[in-house]
Amino acid sequence: MLLRLDLQFFADEKTEKATPNKRRETRKKGQVAKSQEVSAALTLLITFGFFIVGGKSFIEGCLNIYRHSFQEYLLWNLSIKSTQLLFNQLLFDSAILIAPIFVVVLVAGFVSNYAQVGFMFNTESLKMNLGKINPIEGAKNIFSLRSIVELLKSIFKIAVTSIVAYLLIWNNRGELFQLGEKNIWDATSFIGSLVIKIGLFVSASLFVMAIADYMYQKFEFEKKIRMSKQDIKDEHKKMEGDPFIKGQRRAKQRQMAMNRMIAEVPKADVIITNPTHFAVAIRYDVATMDAPQVIAKGQDHVALKIKEIAKEHKIMTVENKPLARALFAAVEIGETIPEELFNAVGEVLAYVYYQEGRYKGMMA
């Protein structure tokens, strides 16, 4: 009894990697290995990178809005119409200015998510789950090991980014103390470049930590979806017993058998037909065969296919309703003609050989 319990325990222990079917099922539920840190870090990194390339255009756009506001818009007569026009114009100028940043952020978010999980769309996560508002479960989540790990990760991120920002500011402390001696344009340019540099280094450090977090999330996900040996056996039994899977397998086997049979039709000596409902392909080699052999047969559309291939390869078709029905019912593909049908098939082959000018011997 103890040995049986031990075996049952080890059978239920989740030590095996998830099967492809289990991975598909979990993916359908929206459960994938994904780190939110990757999206945030990559978005920050690409955004600050954009400011290095297009920062000058962005500043010029801001200055143009500033100039128009104080040199042109202030001279307008105040009215409802002019106020509405002013609002629309400022809204349009701001949208044009912010649109490239919005596109960059959108592309960065899409790329980061696609790189982690590929294309995935499901409504499972949108369904209402009352268990999520359960206070007991919420308390368990707050004081769980995962929450502690997330807290430590956040503290570590704050510490690393603070150190990176502090070091950059410390290295530029000399110029910061001399800002009072510079004109407003140079001071603004220096502050802007320093902010972008800090943003790049901070986002780069966040991205490195995000990669490490993704690896951790992937490890946790693989651990979560592990299966026991019994789970794998149960899944295998379920898939084997699934009528849909069985139907697909049988359909594929029938298709493969059909393709093999159709490929044999060009080797036939004659096609005996019903003429429309049945077609039986007969092959006979006097040197290697003791009796003619059925190499292909079919009914309705398969019969039409056999006759089409016979026509393409110039194989003679002979109409003989009783013989076609008898051969179709009594002889399977690959079997030789039974003794009671020797004479009828021999007459057909003799006729074909005579018409084609061939002589392969006489059949009893």
Side-chain angles (χ1 to χ4, degrees):
M1 178 64 72
L2 289 175
L3 179 60
R4 188 182 302 172
L5 289 174
D6 288 341
L7 290 174
Q8 183 66 31
F9 172 78
F10 285 115
D12 291 337
E13 191 176 0
K14 299 184 182 298
T15 57
E16 307 301 313
K17 288 184 177 180
T19 60
N21 184 62
K22 176 68 177 293
R23 293 180 186 277
R24 283 193 297 269
E25 291 297 323
T26 54
R27 186 178 177 86
K28 286 180 182 177
K29 296 176 183 177
Q31 298 174 8
V32 290
K34 181 183 176 183
S35 172
Q36 297 294 341
E37 309 295 335
V38 174
S39 300
L42 187 61
T43 301
L44 274 176
L45 186 61
I46 295 179
T47 303
F48 280 107
F50 168 78
F51 277 117
I52 290 179
V53 177
K56 187 176 180 181
S57 299
F58 181 79
I59 292 173
E60 288 177 354
C62 293
L63 290 175
N64 284 332
I65 294 175
Y66 178 82
R67 291 192 192 99
H68 288 154
S69 297
F70 286 93
Q71 295 177 1
E72 182 180 347
Y73 300 149
L74 282 179
L75 303 177
W76 290 7
N77 293 325
L78 187 62
S79 65
I80 295 176
K81 186 176 181 180
S82 64
T83 303
Q84 185 178 3
L85 182 62
L86 176 61
F87 176 78
N88 292 337
Q89 186 63 42
L90 288 173
L91 184 64
F92 177 76
D93 292 341
S94 301
I96 293 296
L97 191 64
I98 297 172
I101 302 174
F102 178 77
V103 171
V104 168
V105 171
L106 188 66
V107 170
F110 175 79
V111 169
S112 61
N113 282 280
Y114 185 81
Q116 292 183 84
V117 300
F119 180 78
M120 186 181 70
F121 177 79
N122 66 77
T123 58
E124 192 72 24
S125 57
L126 300 177
K127 292 181 179 179
M128 182 178 293
N129 185 2
L130 297 177
K132 291 183 178 180
I133 60 175
N134 187 337
I136 298 176
E137 292 296 326
K140 288 180 180 179
N141 292 331
I142 291 173
F143 299 103
S144 65
L145 178 62
R146 185 178 182 85
S147 298
I148 295 173
V149 171
E150 292 296 325
L151 175 63
L152 293 175
K153 278 166 44 181
S154 299
I155 294 173
F156 181 71
K157 283 193 301 181
I158 293 171
V160 170
T161 52
S162 299
I163 291 171
V164 170
Y166 171 79
L167 290 175
L168 288 171
I169 294 172
W170 183 255
N171 289 335
N172 291 273
R173 63 187 183 281
E175 293 189 54
L176 284 171
F177 289 136
Q178 296 175 1
L179 282 179
E181 302 174 5
K182 297 181 179 181
N183 58 51
I184 189 169
W185 177 256
D186 290 340
T188 305
S189 178
F190 171 74
I191 293 295
S193 62
L194 181 60
V195 169
I196 292 175
K197 186 185 295 184
I198 292 173
L200 274 175
F201 277 88
V202 167
S203 56
S205 61
L206 285 174
F207 185 70
V208 172
M209 288 186 285
I211 296 298
D213 182 64
Y214 173 72
M215 300 302 294
Y216 169 75
Q217 296 293 343
K218 191 173 180 64
F219 169 77
E220 284 291 315
F221 175 74
E222 291 293 332
K223 184 179 177 181
K224 182 180 177 181
I225 64 171
R226 279 180 187 171
M227 304 173 68
S228 65
K229 290 182 171 63
Q230 187 61 41
D231 290 336
I232 294 175
K233 289 179 181 178
D234 293 342
E235 182 187 277
H236 182 70
K237 287 179 182 178
K238 182 180 177 181
M239 292 182 65
E240 287 295 321
D242 190 341
F244 178 72
I245 299 294
K246 281 186 175 181
Q248 281 190 323
R249 190 182 297 115
R250 283 196 296 267
K252 190 171 183 179
Q253 289 171 349
R254 285 196 298 268
Q255 186 62 41
M256 291 173 65
M258 180 69 67
N259 293 338
R260 287 194 298 269
M261 182 189 74
I262 293 299
E264 292 293 315
V265 173
K267 301 177 183 178
D269 291 314
V270 64
I271 308 296
I272 302 175
T273 66
N274 189 27
T276 55
H277 295 295
F278 299 100
V280 181
I282 304 294
R283 180 172 180 265
Y284 180 55
D285 187 349
V286 69
T288 60
M289 295 181 179
D290 295 329
Q293 184 183 46
V294 173
I295 61 172
K297 68 175 184 177
Q299 187 175 2
D300 297 330
H301 71 279
V302 179
L304 291 174
K305 182 67 176 178
I306 291 173
K307 288 190 285 186
E308 286 176 7
I309 295 174
K311 187 176 180 181
E312 290 175 5
H313 292 82
K314 298 180 180 179
I315 299 170
M316 185 173 289
T317 300
V318 176
E319 180 182 336
N320 189 323
K321 295 181 181 180
L323 182 58
R325 285 180 176 275
L327 288 171
F328 186 86
V331 187
E332 295 298 326
I333 298 170
E335 294 182 355
T336 56
I337 304 299
E339 188 175 352
E340 60 268 20
L341 297 176
F342 273 7
N343 289 336
V345 174
E347 289 176 4
V348 173
L349 287 172
Y351 170 74
V352 171
Y353 295 158
Y354 175 76
Q355 292 294 324
E356 295 180 352
R358 295 186 295 158
Y359 296 92
K360 292 193 174 183
M362 299 296 295
M363 296 184 60

